[in-house]
Amino acid sequence: MGRTLRSKLEVSGIYLVVLIMFAIILYPLLWAVSISLNPGTSLYSAKLIPDNLSLEHYRWLFTNPQSDYGLWYKNTIIVAVCNAVASVTMVSLLAYVFSRFRFTGRKYGIYTFLLLQMFPVLMGMVAIYLLLNLVNLLDTFTGLILIYAVGGLPMNVFLVKGYLDTIPRDLDESATMDGAGHLTVFFRILMPLTAPILAVVGLFTFMAPFMDFLTPRIILRSPEKYTLALGLYNFINDKFSNNFTIFAAGTILIAVPIATVFLLLQRFLISGLADGATKG
C-alpha cells in the first residue's frame, strides 16, 4: 500500500514538473501569437485573447512598400541552407577522420575541439571582423556562412565522432576486404548509419541564422543583406513605440521554415532516439 502511494506521488510530481515547464515555454509563445493578432500597433493595449482577430500585420510584412521582410526572409533561408549543407559536409568528414584513422596529433586535436568550447564567441568577434575585412568577406553572405559553419565545428565534430565510435569497425574492415576504399566506406556504409546524428547537426545549423543576432550585426552592413533577426531588430529600434505588433508577427513566421525542416528530418530524428534507447 505504502509503495503504491509512493509510486503515485512520484508520478504526480513528474507530471507537475512537466506541466510547469510546459507553461513556462508556452506562455510567452501564446503572448507573441496574441500580440501579432491584435489590431492596432500598441503593445500595452494588446490582450491575450483579442476582441477582434486581425491578420493585418502579417499582410503588412509582405505587401507594404516600407517593409523589407520578404527580402530578409530570403536572405536568412539562403544563409541557413548553405550553412546546414556546409556544416554537415565538413562535420561528417572531420568526424570520420578522427573516429576511424590514427595519426600524429589526433588526441590533441580532439582536446583542442573540446577546449575551444570553453571560450565564449564574443572573445573572437574582433578577430573575426578583422580577418573578414582582410580577405574582403565583410558584408557578404560568404563571410557570414563561413563563420557559422566553422564556428560550430568543434562541438558538432565531437558529437558525430562519438556517434561514429559506437558503430563497429567490423563493417569498415569487411568492406575494405571486399575492395572498398575509404570514400566508399564513408559514403555507402557509415553515412546511412550516421543519418540520425547528422540530421540533428543539420537542423541546429539550419536554425542558427534565424536565431542569431550578434554575428550578422557585426558582419553585415548593407540593409539589403540583413537577416531576419537583424532586420526585425532594426525595424523596431527605429520605431519602437509603433511596430511591436508587426514585430511579433514577423517573429512568429520564423517558425515556419524551421518546422518544415524538422518535419522533413523527423524520421531520422526518431530513429536516432530509438537507436539510442536500444544501445542504452
Side-chain angles (χ1 to χ4, degrees), residues 138-250:
L138 202 63
D139 195 27
T140 64
F141 289 153
T142 303
L144 183 60
I145 294 167
L146 184 64
I147 296 304
Y148 276 136
V150 175
L153 275 181
M155 190 61 188
N156 291 329
V157 168
F158 188 72
L159 288 174
V160 178
K161 176 197 172 297
Y163 195 94
L164 277 170
D165 288 343
T166 64
I167 299 175
R169 294 177 180 271
D170 296 344
L171 297 175
D172 306 32
E173 295 171 358
S174 299
T176 303
M177 292 177 63
D178 291 338
H182 294 304
L183 290 179
T184 303
V185 171
F186 174 69
F187 284 109
R188 301 191 63 178
I189 297 176
L190 295 181
M191 280 288 285
L193 296 175
T194 56
I197 191 65
L198 292 179
V200 172
V201 172
L203 177 61
F204 286 165
T205 52
F206 180 84
M207 289 170 55
F210 288 93
M211 307 298 181
D212 184 39
F213 166 77
L214 181 60
T215 306
R217 176 70 172 177
I218 294 173
I219 295 175
L220 301 178
R221 290 290 179 268
S222 304
E224 66 272 12
K225 295 180 181 178
Y226 283 172
T227 58
L228 279 170
L230 183 57
L232 287 173
Y233 168 79
N234 287 339
F235 179 69
I236 63 168
N237 190 47
D238 294 337
K239 303 175 182 178
F240 183 83
S241 60
N242 297 325
N243 291 310
F244 227 100
T245 49
I246 299 174
F247 171 81

